[in-house]
Amino acid sequence: MDPVTGRVDRDGRLTEADPALLRLQEDAGSALGAPLALPQLAAVVRSAMKLGVPLSRSVIAASADQDLDLWVRAEPDAEGATLTIEGWKARPPAPPRLTLVGSEPEGADEGEVSSMSFTTDAELRIKALDERLAGRLGIEAGEAAGQPLTRIFVLIDDDDGMMPLLTAIGGRQDFQGQAARVRGGDESQRLLLDGKVIEARGKFAGYEIRISMEGGAEPAGVFDPALDEALRSPLDHIIAAADRIVDRSEGPLRSDYAAYAGDIAAAGRHLLSVIRSMTEQEAQQAAHVDLAKAASEAVALVQTRAEEQSVMIETVGMDGSVLAEGEERGTVQILVNLLGNAVRHSPHGGNIALIVERRDNMIAATVADEGPGIDEADQERIFERYERVGDAPGGIGLGLAISRRLARSMGGDILLQSAPGKGARFTLLLPAA
């Protein structure tokens, strides 16, 4: 098939499209002149326009009756971006299928898979819930609006104690596959939440969250090696391209654009580590983690958010390798949670220190902030699920609970030293390798 082309304006609207691209747009419930409705394509275009450089990615998009493997290239210019799609390989659809928000296929029964979505604000409060979706979930749409996400849904960690939503929100990133159930509902009805970041004026403004519901439980946990390879290849390309932008190897570039590219490369490497840890071969190997490397990766994932509050993150003891017993993906998630909390509670223009050091037979990573501190009476309570202290925006009361559980599953722990008015020092301890 010949390349398919289209044009997207600066506001994300599809202004020109070859017939094949227009059919995809219409299958997604949109039209020419409306916002580009395919999230995978829209993400490529948005990133290309934000960075001001051409981007190419392999994506999987869903039409009305099949999945499509596409190679997408977006080239930005003053008016928007030119979209070129090559490859265009069709394959049978894989569940869960995407459907229009608030709609279900005619004749669908309870055993079929449906998918609908809602949005949250930056503090994960539900902005609105479609009546049809609310009915399917067995809740009142009006009562859900304005409620924290965790008042309506119970988030479920996987066998390793992971929650994709927690890792994603620390770096203001998209997430996929967050298991959940409706609070007070049927505990056997398992949901999957996929979240896409919403931005307003260049800042994080919440998530569009798509819910997938299945009539039966899915098979547990073997990661398909073919999917592993399919994910690694485009990620390698993205990371390599981002590194070239950071190095300015293809010409001069504004420093803020180079910084954006550094964020992309860091997030890509984190995702690669997630993929590696999901393969059976990796799971069978001895679990060692370079705590200095994991700390550097966690800093990169929360750096953008820290810069928004003019908070500086200083690092100490991270010049060389510091090996501990543990799992890399879980360690990074813990540190992202601790750093995210520190940023959230830091004053504008404040400082955070991340210190990696050896303590006898343990390796410690301490996150110290200049926040309001925590009263001794609250220092154990905040490690319980859904518990929060203070009135800083954001946070859902899960990060510390999951972080301590992860740390203890790796033979370590999380300690806290704090007092009102004197900031807080959260320390991740793991056994030295």
Side-chain angles (χ1 to χ4, degrees):
M1 183 174 181
D2 292 335
V4 174
T5 62
R7 285 283 304 172
V8 179
D9 66 15
R10 299 298 299 182
D11 294 322
R13 293 187 292 260
L14 185 66
T15 57
E16 301 175 23
D18 287 346
L21 177 56
L22 182 57
R23 281 196 298 272
L24 274 183
Q25 175 84 337
E26 291 172 344
D27 283 347
S30 193
L32 195 65
L36 183 59
L38 298 155
Q40 303 91 335
L41 274 62
V44 180
V45 172
R46 185 167 54 250
S47 295
M49 290 194 294
K50 184 174 183 179
L51 295 172
V53 296
L55 292 180
S56 298
R57 294 183 185 175
S58 174
V59 305
I60 299 175
S63 67
D65 54 5
Q66 61 186 355
D67 286 348
L68 299 169
D69 287 316
L70 310 174
W71 185 260
V72 179
R73 180 173 177 81
E75 298 186 54
D77 54 43
E79 304 300 325
T82 298
L83 196 59
T84 303
I85 305 174
E86 297 179 314
W88 211 274
K89 296 178 182 178
R91 66 182 188 183
R97 301 298 300 146
L98 301 181
T99 64
L100 301 182
V101 175
S103 67
E104 296 181 9
E106 185 175 349
D109 60 38
E110 290 299 318
E112 292 181 339
V113 177
S114 71
S115 179
M116 294 174 280
S117 65
F118 62 93
T119 59
T120 75
D121 63 14
E123 297 181 15
L124 294 189
R125 290 189 297 256
I126 295 173
K127 295 174 70 174
L129 202 61
D130 182 86
E131 291 284 354
R132 184 185 294 262
L133 173 57
R136 184 72 180 270
L137 296 173
I139 58 181
E140 293 292 332
E143 294 180 2
Q147 294 289 332
L149 180 70
T150 53
R151 291 280 179 86
I152 306 300
F153 299 99
V154 176
L155 303 182
I156 303 170
D157 48 341
D158 62 20
D159 292 339
D160 295 325
M162 299 298 178
M163 285 194 180
L165 173 56
L166 292 184
T167 299
I169 197 169
R172 300 300 197 244
Q173 298 171 324
D174 297 348
F175 66 88
Q176 290 185 322
Q178 173 62 65
R181 62 177 174 82
V182 176
R183 185 173 293 279
D186 183 356
E187 294 190 7
S188 68
Q189 178 61 66
R190 195 179 180 93
L191 313 174
L192 290 179
L193 310 182
D194 295 339
K196 183 174 180 58
V197 166
I198 299 172
E199 291 186 351
R201 298 179 180 177
K203 293 188 176 182
F204 176 77
Y207 282 109
E208 178 185 358
I209 297 180
R210 185 171 291 276
I211 301 179
S212 302
M213 296 176 290
E214 295 193 18
E218 292 206 9
V222 177
F223 194 66
D224 185 352
L227 179 58
D228 171 61
E229 180 59 32
L231 289 172
R232 286 187 192 225
S233 180
L235 276 173
D236 285 338
H237 285 297
I238 292 170
I239 293 168
D243 283 339
R244 288 197 299 272
I245 296 171
V246 172
D247 294 339
R248 297 175 171 84
S249 57
E250 297 181 358
L253 187 68
R254 279 173 41 182
S255 296
D256 54 347
Y257 287 176
Y260 294 150
D263 292 341
I264 293 171
R269 290 189 179 94
H270 178 57
L271 184 53
L272 273 178
S273 74
V274 172
I275 294 169
R276 284 197 300 270
S277 69
M278 292 173 70
T279 62
E280 291 184 29
Q281 180 179 1
E282 290 284 329
Q284 292 169 357
Q285 294 176 351
H288 288 165
V289 57
D290 183 343
L291 204 53
K293 179 182 176 183
S296 296
E297 188 172 335
V299 169
L301 288 169
V302 301
Q303 190 66 54
T304 299
R305 184 177 172 192
E307 290 173 354
E308 290 174 358
Q309 294 185 213
S310 299
V311 172
M312 294 291 295
I313 301 177
E314 303 286 344
T315 59
V316 180
M318 292 165 51
D319 296 333
S321 178
V322 185
L323 291 181
E325 294 182 5
E327 193 273 321
E328 182 178 4
R329 181 166 60 118
T331 302
V332 172
Q333 179 172 341
I334 291 170
L335 293 173
V336 166
N337 291 342
L338 297 182
L339 285 167
N341 283 346
V343 171
R344 185 179 304 117
H345 293 283
S346 289
H348 187 83
N351 294 283
I352 295 170
L354 175 52
I355 306 156
V356 177
E357 59 186 346
R358 188 180 184 103
R359 297 184 182 177
D360 297 327
N361 61 341
M362 305 293 283
I363 304 297
T366 298
V367 176
D369 64 50
E370 299 177 323
I374 302 166
D375 189 271
E376 184 176 358
D378 294 321
Q379 290 184 16
E380 280 303 312
R381 180 172 66 83
I382 62 172
F383 285 99
E384 300 296 326
R385 291 183 178 224
Y386 310 113
E387 292 290 347
R388 294 179 56 191
V389 171
D391 56 2
I396 55 177
L398 283 170
L400 289 175
I402 298 303
S403 293
R404 175 168 273 184
R405 174 177 169 178
L406 276 172
R408 289 177 174 176
S409 74
M410 294 186 283
D413 206 345
I414 294 179
L415 308 180
L416 168 61
Q417 291 178 300
S418 185
K422 295 185 178 181
R425 295 172 64 89
F426 285 89
T427 299
L428 166 64
L429 289 175
L430 291 176

